[in-house]
Amino acid sequence: MAGFPKERLFEIEGNCRYLQCSHGCHNKTYLGDEILIKMAQSQENGKVSSNLIPKCPECGGRMQVHIELDGDFLRDKSWQTSCDAYQDFIKKAHGKKIVFLELGVGARNQMIKAPFMKLTNMEKNATYITLNKGGDLYIPEAIAAKSIGIDGDIAEVLQQLVQMR
Ligand SMILES: [Zn+2]
């Protein structure tokens, strides 16, 4: 939504604009904008008419948003392509000055945090910056010297950084 080209994004935990079969019977995701908007507009007290609930085109079962909720999360072709591009980017950046900038990731989220922390530890010239509010920061001792933790509202902190230039 901010205008980054799709081929430069890797949504490791998926994206709730897409739908997948809830038990992953086939390896394909579907853009869910239309049905999700319809459901949002017609919901009452968080409930929608059952005829609006999307059905899997293959098995007829329930669909769910393409977010890693459990072991049935699909790593479809699009996800794999993004993953490969990310791995390639990391490979090419080896040895260079790298900043891992983490915005608004909770301290307990290991899916996003762990790879960044591991790479920060392995890469000589890496810096890990984590920004989250409410004291929800976590920086392991092994990378503390190469890390910056900022406790604050992302919008306010970024605005302050722009003004510091
Ligand atoms: Zn299915």
Side-chain angles (χ1 to χ4, degrees):
M1 290 177 86
F4 290 103
K6 183 165 176 21
E7 64 275 11
R8 298 188 69 181
L9 291 175
F10 176 33
E11 297 173 302
I12 190 169
E13 290 186 302
N15 182 324
C16 59
R17 288 180 63 195
Y18 288 84
L19 301 173
Q20 67 159 81
C21 173
S22 63
H23 47 270
C25 80
H26 67 295
N27 198 13
K28 188 175 175 196
T29 57
Y30 302 85
L31 186 61
D33 286 2
E34 202 177 307
I35 188 66
L36 293 171
I37 288 168
K38 229 182 248 176
M39 289 169 81
Q41 286 170 342
S42 65
Q43 68 84 24
E44 278 179 48
N45 299 319
K47 294 181 178 180
V48 294
S49 165
S50 58
N51 67 336
L52 284 180
I53 297 175
K55 299 258 186 289
C56 171
E58 295 295 324
C59 74
R62 283 187 314 112
M63 297 288 273
Q64 69 181 34
V65 289
H66 186 234
I67 296 285
E68 177 142 6
L69 302 167
D70 53 37
D72 289 328
F73 176 72
L74 287 181
R75 287 164 176 83
D76 63 336
K77 195 172 170 226
S78 168
W79 188 94
Q80 198 56 57
T81 301
S82 299
C83 183
D84 292 346
Y86 170 73
Q87 301 290 354
D88 190 47
F89 175 84
I90 292 297
K91 229 180 265 169
K92 285 180 183 156
H94 175 66
K96 295 181 180 170
K97 289 183 181 174
I98 311 168
V99 171
F100 293 98
L101 176 61
E102 187 190 274
L103 304 173
V105 180
R108 282 164 297 284
N109 179 320
Q110 286 305 300
M111 177 168 269
I112 295 172
K113 294 182 86 71
F116 274 23
M117 292 172 178
K118 189 176 163 198
L119 285 164
T120 302
N121 197 29
M122 287 167 39
E123 287 291 334
K124 192 174 153 223
N125 300 309
T127 301
Y128 172 67
I129 303 173
T130 177
L131 200 172
N132 209 354
K133 72 176 177 182
D136 201 15
L137 297 174
Y138 170 65
I139 298 172
E141 193 53 40
I143 60 166
K146 301 160 88 177
S147 302
I148 299 168
I150 304 170
D151 184 356
D153 181 281
I154 294 168
E156 289 169 17
V157 170
L158 292 180
Q159 194 60 44
Q160 287 165 359
L161 287 172
V162 168
Q163 287 165 358
M164 286 169 69
R165 285 182 50 202

